[in-house]
Amino acid sequence: MTMEPTFVLDRIDAGYFADQDKRKARAYIGASGIGSPCDAYLAYSLRGFPDTPPEPRLARIFQLGHRIETLVVADLKRKAQMTVWDRDPETGQQWTYELLGGHIKTHMDGQIALDDRDGAEVLILEVKSMNKASWNKFVKHGIQKSHPGYYEQLQMMMGMSGFRRAYFIAYCKNDSSYHDEIVEFDQLVWSEQCSRIERALNGDAEKVAASVDDWRCRSCFKRDACWASAGVEARCMTCAHACPTERGGWHCARFDQPAPGEACSAWRVYKAKER
């Protein structure tokens, strides 16, 4: 007998779409996005352009990753008996480092104390979950070659925070295996990242591709806003006349005054440079 699918699965997916409609895009350049090869992505992130919503299946993968992160931190604390600070004791929130009043921001999974013969050293803690194929690449090649986006994320975290080493641990979702690596700070990579960030801040960001059909655009969460200005709200930060200030606000170049936030009649949507 053939079993017909029920309406329940459709309702689950509909619930994910409804949740995505309520979310506001972040309005800053973050370490989790610095691995994107596109300067325009950084500029659109800075200005709070909306994300293209992920399919429900992908949203569930992200959700599972957050749950696994909690499991890994618990294993480090309770099983390995490591000293881990997964929250900033001063705020009770996730560890956060900022530049330019919050225009540039990084969040850490935590900080971890590793013991050696010279005493304990505190490193950045970064936790990721991977499928088997991705995890095998990490084991074989190391994080810089296997997952350059994660490597770039760690470099930006270290550049902003002053840490010079990071502890990266990966959990395999297929068989619950662990693999880890200590990543050293690379000043050259951080300098290159600063140059890219500077271009985004100064309005000099360029798209990495000449067409939305480019493979690098198909997986980008800013693709609809980038290529079609889809869903972009008329606000000062999304305006071509707006420039970020050092204190985290925006300045209107058209009228040479602080940007109030609400768009005026001179609003014109910001667009990154075309190739």
Side-chain angles (χ1 to χ4, degrees):
M1 181 176 65
T2 302
M3 301 295 293
E4 294 294 330
T6 70
F7 63 91
V8 176
L9 301 185
D10 290 337
R11 292 184 64 171
I12 291 174
D13 285 355
Y16 275 91
F17 282 123
D19 286 345
Q20 292 163 13
D21 290 340
K22 300 173 186 175
R23 292 195 184 101
K24 288 285 187 181
R26 295 173 177 177
Y28 58 82
I29 296 174
S32 61
I34 196 67
S36 168
C38 183
D39 288 352
Y41 174 85
L42 302 182
Y44 289 126
S45 297
L46 169 70
R47 293 171 177 270
F49 275 58
D51 292 329
T52 300
E55 291 297 316
R57 184 187 67 84
L58 185 57
R60 290 191 286 271
I61 290 174
F62 294 153
Q63 187 181 77
L64 178 60
H66 293 312
R67 292 174 178 171
I68 290 175
E69 177 187 319
T70 301
L71 181 153
V72 174
V73 170
D75 276 357
L76 290 169
K77 288 181 175 180
R78 300 169 189 169
K79 306 301 183 185
Q81 297 292 299
M82 306 299 295
T83 300
V84 176
W85 300 272
D86 53 328
R87 289 291 183 269
D88 183 341
E90 293 187 3
T91 65
Q93 304 297 318
Q94 192 174 24
W95 290 95
T96 302
Y97 293 84
E98 298 182 352
L99 296 175
L100 296 179
H103 283 313
I104 319 299
K105 191 178 297 187
T106 183
H107 302 288
M108 294 179 183
D109 291 336
Q111 297 176 8
I112 184 170
L114 296 185
D115 295 322
D116 59 23
R117 285 177 291 184
D118 298 323
E121 177 192 6
V122 179
L123 285 71
I124 292 173
L125 170 65
E126 184 63 20
V127 180
K128 298 295 185 186
S129 59
M130 303 175 178
N131 62 33
K132 187 65 174 179
S134 185
W135 188 85
N136 284 339
K137 285 177 61 180
F138 170 42
V139 172
K140 182 176 181 180
H141 300 290
I143 197 63
Q144 184 175 6
K145 290 185 178 180
S146 68
H147 297 79
Y150 292 161
Y151 182 79
E152 292 261 355
Q153 179 181 359
L154 291 169
Q155 294 303 326
M156 183 168 170
M157 287 180 176
M158 288 187 276
M160 291 182 63
S161 66
F163 283 84
R164 288 302 174 260
R165 299 212 299 170
Y167 177 72
F168 181 91
I169 182 169
Y171 179 99
C172 179
K173 291 182 284 189
N174 294 73
D175 60 16
S176 298
S177 296
Y178 276 126
H179 189 62
D180 62 0
E181 180 180 335
I182 292 178
V183 178
E184 306 284 343
F185 177 62
D186 188 325
Q187 179 63 54
L188 179 59
V189 172
W190 171 232
S191 296
E192 292 172 346
Q193 290 176 342
C194 288
S195 295
R196 296 186 61 208
I197 291 170
E198 191 71 21
R199 290 195 289 271
L201 292 169
N202 292 340
D204 294 326
E206 183 179 271
K207 297 180 182 181
V208 73
S211 167
V212 69
D213 297 322
D214 187 281
W215 64 272
R216 291 163 294 187
C217 296
R218 288 199 295 270
S219 59
C220 177
F221 289 121
K222 298 296 182 186
R223 62 183 180 275
D224 291 340
C226 174
W227 290 101
S229 298
V232 178
E233 295 182 13
R235 295 180 293 166
C236 285
M237 71 171 61
T238 62
C239 179
H241 302 303
C243 307
T245 68
E246 293 185 358
R247 295 187 177 182
W250 292 84
H251 183 82
C252 177
R254 172 71 181 272
F255 298 108
D256 192 21
Q257 65 181 25
E262 297 296 325
C264 68
S265 59
W267 180 84
R268 179 166 57 87
V269 67
Y270 167 84
K271 293 184 179 181
K273 294 180 178 180
E274 302 277 346
R275 289 185 69 84

